[in-house]
Amino acid sequence: MNLRFSNQVWLFLAASFSFGLSQAFAALFLNFYLRELGLGAQWQGVLNALPALTLALLALPAAGLARRIGNVRAIALGSVLGLVGAVVLASASGPLMAMVGAIVQGAGTAALVVAGSPFMAAHSTPQSRVTLFSVQSALMTGAGFLGNLLGGRVPELYAASTGTEADGLGALRAALLVAAGFQALGLIPVLSLRAGKHTPEPGGRTLAVQDRRTMTRLVTPNVLVGLGAGATIPFLNVFIEGKFNISYASLGTLFAWASLATAATALIQPWVVRRLGPLRAVLVVQASSLPFLALLGFAPELWMVTAALFTRGALMNAAGPVYSAHAMTVLSDRDRPLYSAVNVIAWDLGWAISSMLAGVVRGALPFSVAFNLLFAWTLTMYAGSVLAIYLGLYRPARRAGTLNQKMAGSVGD
């Protein structure tokens, strides 16, 4: 694997690692923090949905902004907004402040997402693109390993030093403030990025799409993944804690090792792509994750759920960088930021809708019944996504004779 990237790329990767630490801390404790603020399952669904909903609403404007000001400035803006949102959320005293923090975070993520992939595509060659996207994904998930492993112990350390409870509001707020600290740390490499020469596009053209058919086929599977993921993934901490009654430290360790498994799997994706091609690799990996998703939702023993959590996350998430690199290769330079935006809208609208509905389901039904229903929905949507990739991308490429064509990352790594 060739890791000879430019200094600009390494700065971006360093920021990605720091942001990954922040996200791991926040994701591990958000639902418990909201619960200590007195917000029930419905509110938890809304607060988990708000960043995604905001991201979806602002993705297209953010793509237009990135085309006007350049990807580097858009990344810097998104990083600053992410920090502000994290601090506001960690300081919340009730639902209103928590909502403001979630909305600001969503706005920051919109700018980061629509500019991040085009930035990496612009600083890589077709031969190195899959490797770069895989390394960035591995760093994010590897940061999740450290974030969950260390984050699970922050409430205990806070409680020991203050004489309070590890599951109290103060301890959980401290964990979210540490997450904000890692977000601030990621600003250092971001602000060191150099903005190259950029010619703003004339008004009225920033959101034009050159290849609508290809973009639609690329986005459709992510609509289904978003609809499925939002129903269960943001609530896995609540599901495992409630079903098996484990401590925050044990929960953090569990999610840490799951993140490490995903990171390791992401790093072998360039090797898989060389042998199978990008689309076949995505199909094989994502289809293989479905039985483990079923095991995660319905297995009766913690060790079985743990094994399923490791394997499902590694398989499903590791295909993401290959899919993104493939999209960046088959689309033109003009369509890349817009694809990032449209893809975000598709995925995050599905995530937001499912998260809010999942909150309603969890509030209306008993714990076990609610999660059985939600996992069945997630499994159905993920299976639909695999089918959409097969029908919309794999079969047309096979008919066109381009399925085994050497493309992004398939040679030279």
Side-chain angles (χ1 to χ4, degrees):
M1 182 183 293
N2 188 353
L3 298 180
R4 294 179 180 177
F5 305 134
S6 69
N7 289 336
Q8 292 291 286
V9 168
W10 282 115
L11 287 170
F12 180 79
L13 292 176
S16 296
F17 182 78
S18 188
F19 294 158
L21 285 171
S22 176
Q23 290 173 14
F25 268 76
L28 181 60
F29 292 111
L30 178 61
N31 290 315
F32 304 126
Y33 172 70
L34 296 175
R35 187 172 65 188
E36 288 303 309
L37 283 176
L39 306 180
Q42 290 90 342
W43 270 112
Q44 291 170 30
V46 170
L47 266 297
N48 275 280
L50 264 181
L53 187 60
T54 305
L55 201 164
L57 292 174
L58 295 182
L60 281 176
L65 180 66
R67 282 184 173 181
R68 288 183 180 277
I69 69 174
N71 293 322
V72 168
R73 292 187 179 93
I75 290 169
L77 175 63
S79 302
V80 171
L81 288 174
L83 173 59
V84 172
V87 172
V88 171
L89 181 60
S91 306
S93 56
L96 181 59
M97 248 184 111
M99 289 175 67
V100 171
I103 289 170
V104 175
Q105 279 188 317
T109 304
L112 282 171
V113 167
V114 301
S117 291
F119 174 86
M120 289 192 292
H123 287 79
S124 61
T125 64
Q127 290 74 31
S128 66
R129 194 158 293 146
V130 165
T131 298
L132 174 55
F133 276 69
S134 297
V135 168
Q136 194 262 352
S137 176
L139 281 173
M140 289 284 288
T141 51
F145 168 74
L146 288 177
N148 283 298
L149 195 63
L150 300 175
R153 283 152 181 79
V154 169
E156 293 180 353
L157 293 173
Y158 179 89
S161 63
T162 60
T164 57
E165 296 296 326
D167 58 354
L169 179 59
L172 295 170
R173 194 188 301 278
L176 291 187
L177 287 172
V178 173
F182 282 119
Q183 184 77 22
L185 188 64
L187 274 177
I188 297 174
V190 164
L191 296 179
S192 300
L193 292 173
R194 295 191 308 272
K197 293 182 180 180
H198 178 74
T199 303
E201 298 193 23
R205 296 180 57 199
T206 57
L207 298 180
V209 181
Q210 290 182 331
D211 190 348
R212 294 184 181 181
R213 185 176 186 182
T214 298
M215 189 171 292
T216 299
R217 288 178 171 178
L218 287 166
V219 168
T220 298
N222 286 315
V223 176
L224 299 172
V225 171
L227 283 169
T232 54
I233 303 305
F235 310 111
L236 283 179
N237 53 356
V238 175
F239 170 68
I240 295 173
E241 187 244 9
K243 186 171 183 177
F244 300 106
N245 193 29
I246 66 174
S247 67
Y248 290 159
S250 299
L251 193 65
T253 301
L254 179 61
F255 280 101
W257 286 105
S259 296
L260 188 62
T262 300
T265 309
L267 287 175
I268 68 170
Q269 290 306 298
W271 177 84
V272 176
V273 169
R274 281 197 296 268
R275 280 147 183 79
L276 299 180
L279 290 177
R280 190 180 285 116
V282 170
L283 272 178
V284 169
V285 169
Q286 291 197 354
S288 300
S289 75
L290 298 180
F292 296 99
L293 175 61
L295 192 63
L296 173 62
F298 303 107
E301 300 292 336
L302 178 59
W303 70 268
M304 299 171 70
V305 170
T306 300
L309 179 69
F310 291 179
T311 311
R312 183 221 68 88
L315 291 173
M316 191 70 187
N317 294 324
V322 178
Y323 196 82
S324 296
H326 172 71
M328 292 295 109
T329 298
V330 299
L331 293 172
S332 67
D333 289 344
R334 270 185 52 82
D335 279 350
R336 286 171 179 173
L338 193 58
Y339 163 77
S340 296
V342 173
N343 191 51
V344 161
I345 291 171
W347 196 92
D348 283 270
L349 275 179
W351 173 285
I353 291 169
S354 287
S355 292
M356 288 188 286
L357 292 178
V360 174
V361 170
R362 289 176 52 222
L365 297 175
F367 182 92
S368 296
V369 175
F371 274 106
N372 284 344
L373 181 61
L374 294 173
F375 272 105
W377 169 259
T378 300
L379 187 60
T380 301
M381 292 298 101
Y382 277 27
S385 173
V386 173
L387 183 62
I389 293 172
Y390 176 76
L391 295 177
L393 296 171
Y394 180 86
R395 288 214 317 184
R398 186 175 62 182
R399 285 197 299 266
T402 60
L403 189 61
N404 295 315
Q405 176 180 315
K406 292 184 183 297
M407 52 197 316
S410 58
V411 295
D413 295 337

